[in-house]
Amino acid sequence: MKKICLMVLALIVLNSCTKNFEEINTNPNQITDKMLEQDFNLVGSSFSVMLFNLMGHQIEEDLCYDNWMGYMGSPTPYVAGVNNTTYYLRWIDAYWNRIYGSVMSPSKQVIQLAEEKNLPLFGDWAKLVRILAISKLTAIYGPVIYSNYGTAGLGSIKYDKESDLYNNLFTQLDEIETNFKANTSYTGFTKFDPSYKGNIASWLKLLNSVRFRLAMRLVKVSPTVAKTQGEKALADPVGLITTNAENFLISLNGEVMPVSMICFDWNDTRMGATMESFMVGLKDGRMNKYFAEVSDASLVTDHPAYKFKGIRSGAFINAKDDRVSYSTISTDFKSVQNRRGFTASEIAFLKAEAALRGWANAGDAKTNYENGVRLSFADWGAAGVDTYLADATSKPINYIDPKDSKNNFTALSAITVAWNEGDANELKLEKIITQKYLATFTNTLEAWVDFRRTGYPKIPHVAKNDSSPDWGVITADQWIKRLVFVPAERTGNAAAVSEAATFLTSGKDDIASRLWWDTGTPGNF
């Protein structure tokens, strides 16, 4: 818990109310050195930091959607075992502060400087990074401050309604796309771009891929907009991210991979029981690329051929030492230099879903589904993909916690891997989203999005549900829907927060309120 406290303290230092957003994380030394104007340094030097901060760390990821989606489980009983993982919020604002302090604030400065220095493409690039950031933030909170961000002198800075926000994002993507396409040979980004080395065509493929991702989010709440935007991305001659060589990788800038630090340095995270259920049950060849085998055979008597043991989401935990011996992540993560921000496998699975929905240029659902699995296996260096794709009998297994039977669960999914053209579309979609889930390890927010909008993959409930009227009650048959608006906003921008709550489907700022695109309606077709 000491580590958590230190991280919270660090975040508090970064935090301020909305009225001072433009002052957050400003380096007093920048802009004053004339040397920064050489080779576009003045506008380009912030990009590696902005890109790095698109992703989160322990409080934002590991103790939130990494746990909620069963990728990881915590052996540590934080705050007497009552915390985010059991649906009682202790950490609310870390990612909010990260995005506004380390992406929105510096990007605002870049956009202003790009205009002053007549370097408009740098402004467009900063806007695209903003879209990447805010599309993640809205998936966590719902309404966010975007179109009114940076407006000074107002008593209250209004939040964007989600329907307005997505329309705005699509419009901005159009504008950036037009400008990038008119300048595909531009090389000004090269020295500042750790992801694509300044290649405009690669950024255009990412832009189309982001459009496709956001379009699919809206498929149940606004199907016409979803189809229009999705087909626009599919039809664009520039294309999408379709090979692993084109994956959007986010540089760690020399830092340790967060999940590696949490797992090996702090012993505060382990394999999730849901991943054990799916990966052991389906005999998934990526298992040892994600996780490490346990040395204690008594932990895996239920499946001795697969020596992996996870911790259930929201588990009953008495002492940290009880489960430190469960599966760590693979030691390969100790030396990685990049994080996966957007992969070709995700595009393949999006295309598979689009094909089920009859979108133009989506191709064949089976081909895309199998391509997504193949791309993921290749990306992680896993073997046995042909055998895996042909398996029509293996299913997720029930989970047994050898330390406490209260954490046991019966698998809710009976999914297999092999594609069956005779299956109903709903079952086909479950297969697509389940494989997409298994492929997006270490970039798990989109899996939480998919789960809320489709109901897939079928994952167990938390073992221990500590939700309460303090933050919202999650009933026994449901899962957490969002994080609440942050404390600094509740006090420093109260009128806007009150209005933003009315934008939520329930009208309440709590963890049980569905986001706009999470309709809660059964079935997907």
Side-chain angles (χ1 to χ4, degrees), residues 74 81 85-86 311-317 323 401 407 462-464:
S74 175
T85 70
T86 66
I311 300 173
R312 184 172 177 179
S313 303
F316 290 89
I317 301 287
R323 290 175 182 77
D401 185 349
N407 295 321
V462 291
K464 183 169 173 276

Side-chain angles (χ1 to χ4, degrees), residues 56-89:
H57 207 295
Q58 183 180 30
I59 298 174
E60 304 103 303
E61 294 179 346
D62 184 69
L63 294 171
C64 288
Y65 37 85
D66 276 3
N67 255 267
W68 299 333
M69 289 304 300
Y71 287 100
M72 306 301 295
S74 175
T76 308
Y78 296 110
V79 200
V82 179
N83 53 64
N84 286 39
T85 70
T86 66
Y87 293 171
Y88 190 89
L89 300 186

Side-chain angles (χ1 to χ4, degrees), residues 147-218:
S147 61
N148 293 309
Y149 173 78
T151 53
L154 298 178
S156 179
I157 301 183
K158 291 182 176 292
Y159 284 59
D160 291 68
K161 186 183 294 186
E162 288 173 89
S163 55
D164 295 339
L165 174 65
Y166 280 90
N167 286 335
N168 189 2
L169 296 182
F170 289 133
T171 298
Q172 290 194 345
L173 287 173
D174 290 340
E175 295 167 353
I176 298 165
E177 180 181 20
T178 297
N179 294 338
F180 275 11
K181 283 183 173 179
N183 294 276
T184 54
S185 61
Y186 185 72
T187 60
F189 300 166
T190 304
K191 67 181 286 187
F192 310 108
D193 179 7
S195 297
Y196 288 129
K197 309 306 179 191
N199 186 288
I200 298 292
S202 295
W203 281 98
L204 279 166
K205 287 187 177 185
L206 176 62
L207 184 152
N208 283 333
S209 300
V210 170
R211 185 192 299 277
F212 197 14
R213 174 194 276 176
L214 298 184
M216 195 61 77
R217 279 190 195 175
L218 311 187

Side-chain angles (χ1 to χ4, degrees), residues 7-17 20-21 23-26 53 93-94 96-102:
M7 293 180 70
V8 171
L9 180 60
L11 288 165
I12 289 171
V13 172
L14 287 174
N15 188 30
S16 68
C17 72
N20 296 317
F21 271 166
E23 299 174 10
I24 297 177
N25 212 35
T26 300
N53 281 290
D93 54 6
W96 178 279
N97 294 338
R98 181 184 295 275
I99 292 302
Y100 284 110
S102 298

Side-chain angles (χ1 to χ4, degrees), residues 35 42 51 71 139 148 164 199 249 278 281 290 329 449 511 519:
M35 292 297 290
L42 186 63
L51 291 169
Y71 287 100
N148 293 309
D164 295 339
N199 186 288
L249 302 180
F278 278 107
Y290 294 179
I329 58 171
V449 170
I511 64 174
T519 64

Side-chain angles (χ1 to χ4, degrees), residues 427-486:
L427 182 54
K428 289 176 180 176
L429 181 62
E430 183 185 354
K431 288 194 174 189
I432 291 166
I433 299 299
T434 299
Q435 286 300 323
K436 188 178 177 187
Y437 164 80
L438 293 171
T440 53
F441 185 59
T442 69
N443 187 16
T444 61
L445 177 58
E446 286 307 311
W448 188 33
V449 170
D450 285 338
F451 176 69
R452 286 175 288 169
R453 73 176 178 89
T454 69
Y456 303 128
K458 292 181 179 178
I459 62 173
H461 298 86
V462 291
K464 183 169 173 276
N465 184 339
D466 291 313
S467 64
S468 79
D470 291 356
W471 302 113
V473 175
I474 303 297
T475 57
D477 63 340
Q478 288 297 321
W479 294 260
I480 191 168
K481 308 300 181 188
R482 60 183 289 271
L483 285 183
V484 300
F485 297 126
V486 304

Side-chain angles (χ1 to χ4, degrees), residues 479-524:
W479 294 260
I480 191 168
K481 308 300 181 188
R482 60 183 289 271
L483 285 183
V484 300
F485 297 126
V486 304
E489 281 291 291
R490 288 181 166 198
T491 57
N493 197 25
V497 168
S498 294
E499 180 185 51
T502 69
F503 299 157
L504 295 164
T505 53
S506 69
K508 291 179 171 177
D509 176 21
D510 66 18
I511 64 174
S513 292
R514 297 178 183 274
L515 301 191
W516 174 58
W517 41 260
D518 176 10
T519 64
T521 55
N524 290 279

